[in-house]
Amino acid sequence: AYQFFCAFHVYQCDRPVTPEKFHFLVVQAVQMFRNCQKSNTDRGCVYSTETHQLATHLYASIYSVYLADWFKAFPREQVHVMMFEEHISDEISSINAICDFLGISRFPVEYMRSYLEQHKVRNSLKDSARIPYMLPETKQLLRDFFKPFLDDLVEMLGDKKWYWNLY
């Protein structure tokens, strides 16, 4: 729910949406998905191009469907999955983990610090105080919607951290 809300907020930054309007849009997007599920698989619905912008953000947040496709194409040990939140909280450790996964030498820490400082990315959502308010009923709707997909993701990756502290 949080990832979806953040993605939508980032995209909508030039067009602020009230919590009530956001709730209305989420209800619409979830209903579109539920209608799609009546005649398609979850995968068919996620990859559908017959959606409006918010539904696209909703579907893009169903990581388990996309990851299942990656695991069909590549052995699990050839796919490295990481949380964006972990990356932004400790970029150096994150980059080291990628280097380790790829089997390449790590970059010198001072080089990485200098590079990251010079190429700092502004992340307005890093500060939770800047994230707009979401109605409790919207949070619950999104939790309920994403629950089966998060269950799949946790099972695929073998780690409950992928629940993002929602359950």
PDB file of all heavy atoms in Angstrom, residues 16 88 147:
ATOM      1  N   PRO A  16      -1.757  17.885  -7.240  1.00  0.00           N
ATOM      2  CA  PRO A  16      -2.102  17.331  -5.922  1.00  0.00           C
ATOM      3  C   PRO A  16      -3.511  16.728  -5.904  1.00  0.00           C
ATOM      4  O   PRO A  16      -4.422  17.234  -6.541  1.00  0.00           O
ATOM      5  CB  PRO A  16      -2.019  18.539  -4.992  1.00  0.00           C
ATOM      6  CG  PRO A  16      -1.268  19.575  -5.730  1.00  0.00           C
ATOM      7  CD  PRO A  16      -1.429  19.288  -7.189  1.00  0.00           C
ATOM      8  N   ILE A  88      17.965   3.343  -0.227  1.00  0.00           N
ATOM      9  CA  ILE A  88      18.101   4.759   0.119  1.00  0.00           C
ATOM     10  C   ILE A  88      18.547   4.975   1.560  1.00  0.00           C
ATOM     11  O   ILE A  88      19.123   6.007   1.864  1.00  0.00           O
ATOM     12  CB  ILE A  88      16.820   5.573  -0.179  1.00  0.00           C
ATOM     13  CG1 ILE A  88      15.634   5.078   0.639  1.00  0.00           C
ATOM     14  CG2 ILE A  88      16.520   5.586  -1.657  1.00  0.00           C
ATOM     15  CD1 ILE A  88      14.398   5.947   0.525  1.00  0.00           C
ATOM     16  N   LYS A 147      -2.685  -8.016  -0.161  1.00  0.00           N
ATOM     17  CA  LYS A 147      -2.357  -9.147   0.713  1.00  0.00           C
ATOM     18  C   LYS A 147      -2.022 -10.430  -0.039  1.00  0.00           C
ATOM     19  O   LYS A 147      -0.962 -11.019   0.194  1.00  0.00           O
ATOM     20  CB  LYS A 147      -3.502  -9.377   1.710  1.00  0.00           C
ATOM     21  CG  LYS A 147      -3.317 -10.597   2.619  1.00  0.00           C
ATOM     22  CD  LYS A 147      -2.384 -10.323   3.759  1.00  0.00           C
ATOM     23  CE  LYS A 147      -2.429 -11.375   4.843  1.00  0.00           C
ATOM     24  NZ  LYS A 147      -1.636 -12.556   4.601  1.00  0.00           N
TER      25      LYS A 147
END
